[in-house]
Amino acid sequence: MPKDGGIGASVVRREDTRFLKGKGRYTDDMNRPGQTYAYILRSSLAHATLNNVDTAAASAAPGVIRVFTGEDITAAGLGGVPCGWQITDKHGDPMKEPLHPILAVGKVRHVGDPIAVVVAETYEQARDAAELIDVDMTDLPAVVNMRTAETSGHQVHEEAPDNVCYDWELGDKEGTDAAFANAHHITTLEFINNRLVANPMEPRCALGDYDENDEHYTLYTTSQNPHVIRLLMGAFVLNIPEHKLRVYAPDVGGGFGSKIYHYAEEAFVTWASKQIRRPVKWTADRSEAFISDAHGRDHVTKAELAMDAEGKFLGLRADTYANMGAYLSTFAPCVPTWLHATLLAGQYTTPMVHARVRAMFTNTVPVDAYRGAGRPEATYLLERIINKAAQEIGLDQAEIRRRNFIRTFPYDTPVALQYDTGDYDATLNAVMETADYAGFEARRAEAASRGKLRGIGLSCYIEACGIAPSALVGALGARAGLYEAATIRVNPTGSVSVMTGAHSHGQGHETTFAQVVSDALGIPADQIEIIHGDTDKIPFGMGTYGSRSLAVGGSAIVKAVDKVVAKGKKIAAHLLEAAESDIIFEDGQYKVAGTDKAKAFAEISLAAYVPHNYPIDEIEPGLEETAFYDPKNFTYPAGSYLCEVEVDPETGKVEIVAMTASDDFGNIVNPMIVEGQVHGGLAQGIGQALLENCAYDEHGQLVSGSFMDYAMPLAVDLPNFVVETVEGTPCTHNPLGVKGCGEAGAIGSPPALINAVVDAIKGYGIDHIDMPATSLNVWTTIQNASAKQAAE
């Protein structure tokens, strides 16, 4: 049984008290003396030359302090927004990396590209003045379709001929081609992984404050990784020494990846605050977020699966176009490559895999990581083509997976990863039993009696998360280390302050990190304070994304706690007049082994700070330790999801009647928080599969630019989830044995749902439907298939 409040206990999240009472403190809640407000005039055209920006009338408007354009940024010698990952293409050449200006110069390249910024005494004055800016632009043809971008004859960037950022590949092409040549059956699937907008509850906000007394800058921002923002913005954009720049991310109301990146608005308000010698604040409204936040997904893929006569996988080929948008966002280049193609082995023993990825520039909002970041796209590819293959060769969708599961670990995949441990049969068996897979046909027949088409869909995912060793990702193009850091400060009376580089935006770090420390030190969790988000207070860390917080950040905390315990043993040995080798630490006490002599943790901490009786010649006073943890490998959570749907053939409406998830997350610190994370992921995965679609017209206009047009899932769209975790296979290379859980629901659910929809309508000869499976999409697919059947 878990200790009260320690590892394994479903402790209620301590941060919920302030959130549920409306006491959270977000960036937009922060205001500084003398604060001004920025309004950004954005391009209404997707692609145009920027001939002239006349700001005279706006500058003379009431309350306006100053109007800035790209010319001001250029004159100041500021850098462009940097990209944090460089991809080398299949020829060994670096990717094309055009300048991403803070404000447009010479051209605009997507609807929403910032042209000018008005800074005024009030937001309303800034907004009104922006309407007075006269922008002279010449419209240019927009490149929107990534599949035809190479041959469109129009350039997003002159530096990227044919709009290709890179043409990249992974795997053994010749070996894969040979596997296909010897295949008994080949299944082919062409599909779209639809573009998404993250839409966290809290829109982005940035507040820059320059203090001319000590020439120090502070940026308050809605960020998932403040230290990375400080590094990128200070060193590469504003040329500010790091000790002169503080980045503070307070409570953050959701991110899902969209708040990982360094954005132009952050750099602008920080720089502008010095220009006008007053704080500058910018807050996005929801419509602005649709055209300024990084979007997610947006792949077009042709996949092929080769099998032998028994349904064993021989080879997989995948050819993908990945949309980068108009500029390279911070981590965009690695998402369809190292975070995607490396997962194409899935849970299966496919001996040969080859992936080609062409990353394309288009006149659309930049695309970057969104919950799962490449892993959902890989899982969708694999789990959809497997179900199509099962349908073609007449195998049950569970049986075809069983025949191909990996069962021996560690396992080296043909696409560069080594899985350390797993038990894929366990999650599949569990989900099939819980969901009553065996009884499905009776439920299908009952639904048919009501005129409904019932389908069941399976998905078996594996995720690589926690991000791999810095040396490895550095060799793959990462321009930053991917370790994590923690400082444990034990106060004289035994309470503990934990400073962590990981940042919370809904994951419950203040609770789970406290549980880890409570378990290790044997002290109540309410004696433990978690501090994060402020670069002036925390050690240099890499933030929160990629389900890394507990596996990487928690491991850094464990290492720092181990150092504290080790120093405490030296002090205890002195106080207890025993050899250090005889001191053991358990249940919050230092004890002399084999005796009843002991000192409580708080006694040792007091002695550390009041060293009247202390081995001062051997160790320094105080009890504070810092540790860095650089992971040895990814962690590999895995699971199986089953979805049941009913489709109304008259309307195309899809109703999810059951969604069951079975996951292996290794050791679990807080089961309740894990369940909540899976619930959230399921909601986002269902949103992508059934409702959400970021759509552009041929002119590059975003036609789904508000919640009137972009369908977010509502409570009525979601079923009651059944979520379970099997007895996990602990990660073998981090001290907690944990694996990431935050993205699993969004990875496993879309293919399970689409597999279920296809299973429901396969009687019409349908073997695929693209996401989102809206009522219109399903109805149209059924009508077209029915017409085809009638014609035959």
Side-chain angles (χ1 to χ4, degrees), residues 231-523:
L231 172 63
L232 293 177
M233 185 177 76
F236 299 105
V237 185
L238 302 184
N239 303 311
I240 299 172
E242 285 186 76
H243 70 285
K244 291 290 187 180
L245 175 59
R246 173 195 181 200
V247 177
Y248 178 35
D251 288 329
V252 173
F256 314 120
S258 68
K259 294 175 183 173
I260 299 172
Y261 325 116
H262 177 35
Y263 287 96
E265 296 89 355
E266 294 168 319
F268 173 79
V269 298
T270 306
W271 173 77
S273 67
K274 180 179 181 179
Q275 308 311 304
I276 67 169
R277 295 299 197 268
R278 291 173 64 181
V280 180
K281 184 176 187 178
W282 167 82
T283 303
D285 62 29
R286 186 61 67 181
S287 295
E288 188 175 17
F290 269 90
I291 56 173
S292 63
D293 290 4
H295 294 171
R297 313 285 193 251
D298 208 357
H299 289 186
V300 176
T301 298
K302 178 182 179 181
E304 299 170 282
L305 179 64
M307 292 164 285
D308 68 13
E310 302 301 318
K312 286 282 290 181
F313 303 158
L314 303 177
L316 177 76
R317 289 193 293 227
D319 191 345
T320 294
Y321 284 95
N323 203 337
M324 294 289 101
Y327 304 102
L328 291 179
S329 183
T330 306
F331 293 118
C334 75
V335 174
T337 52
W338 297 113
L339 296 183
H340 171 257
T342 51
L343 268 297
L344 289 177
Q347 299 186 4
Y348 312 107
T349 57
T350 314
M352 290 291 168
V353 177
H354 179 261
R356 180 187 183 190
V357 178
R358 279 166 282 187
M360 309 303 298
F361 288 113
T362 63
N363 293 118
T364 62
V365 171
V367 176
D368 210 317
Y370 171 77
R371 197 171 193 165
R375 287 73 59 91
E377 296 92 316
T379 298
Y380 185 77
L381 182 162
L382 196 54
E383 294 303 297
R384 277 295 299 123
I385 199 168
I386 289 173
N387 260 46
K388 187 171 186 283
Q391 187 175 336
E392 288 176 355
I393 66 177
L395 267 182
D396 176 79
Q397 58 182 307
E399 177 58 27
I400 194 173
R401 289 170 168 85
R402 287 192 199 281
R403 292 187 185 185
N404 290 281
F405 275 160
I406 298 163
R407 294 187 172 89
T408 302
F409 296 90
Y411 180 82
D412 291 312
T413 77
V415 277
L417 297 183
Q418 184 184 79
Y419 303 162
D420 62 329
T421 186
D423 186 349
Y424 309 141
D425 288 289
T427 57
L428 179 58
N429 291 340
V431 80
M432 291 177 70
E433 181 178 351
T434 301
D436 186 21
Y437 187 79
F440 171 71
E441 289 303 330
R443 297 192 294 277
R444 191 200 294 270
E446 187 279 328
S449 72
R450 295 183 281 107
K452 298 294 180 68
L453 306 174
R454 195 166 180 121
I456 191 166
L458 178 64
S459 169
C460 296
Y461 80 92
I462 186 168
E463 179 186 1
C465 56
I467 307 300
S470 293
L472 172 60
V473 297
L476 301 181
R479 288 165 168 164
L482 292 176
Y483 52 82
E484 197 45 79
T487 296
I488 305 294
R489 177 180 299 155
V490 182
N491 300 308
T493 55
S495 64
V496 175
S497 297
V498 179
M499 283 71 79
T500 173
H503 190 279
S504 179
H505 43 278
Q507 296 89 346
H509 293 172
E510 293 172 33
T511 302
T512 53
F513 286 169
Q515 287 181 257
V516 169
V517 176
S518 172
D519 199 82
L521 295 180
I523 62 175

Side-chain angles (χ1 to χ4, degrees), residues 42-63:
R42 299 182 180 274
S43 175
S44 60
L45 299 177
H47 197 197
T49 54
L50 194 57
N51 302 319
N52 187 52
V53 182
D54 186 346
T55 63
S59 299

Side-chain angles (χ1 to χ4, degrees), residues 727-739:
E727 185 175 345
T729 55
C731 176
T732 61
H733 52 78
N734 69 57
L736 289 166
V738 297
K739 305 176 184 180

Side-chain angles (χ1 to χ4, degrees), residues 644-694:
E644 283 191 44
V645 301
E646 286 188 359
V647 176
D648 184 342
E650 298 299 319
T651 64
K653 180 175 175 55
V654 177
E655 179 187 0
I656 305 171
V657 293
M659 176 68 83
T660 309
S662 177
D663 296 289
D664 174 3
F665 295 132
N667 295 334
I668 292 177
V669 171
N670 188 314
M672 182 174 62
I673 287 179
V674 167
E675 184 176 357
Q677 286 289 297
V678 176
H679 278 204
L682 287 170
Q684 287 189 271
I686 289 169
Q688 175 174 15
L690 284 188
L691 298 163
E692 298 180 50
N693 190 38
C694 185

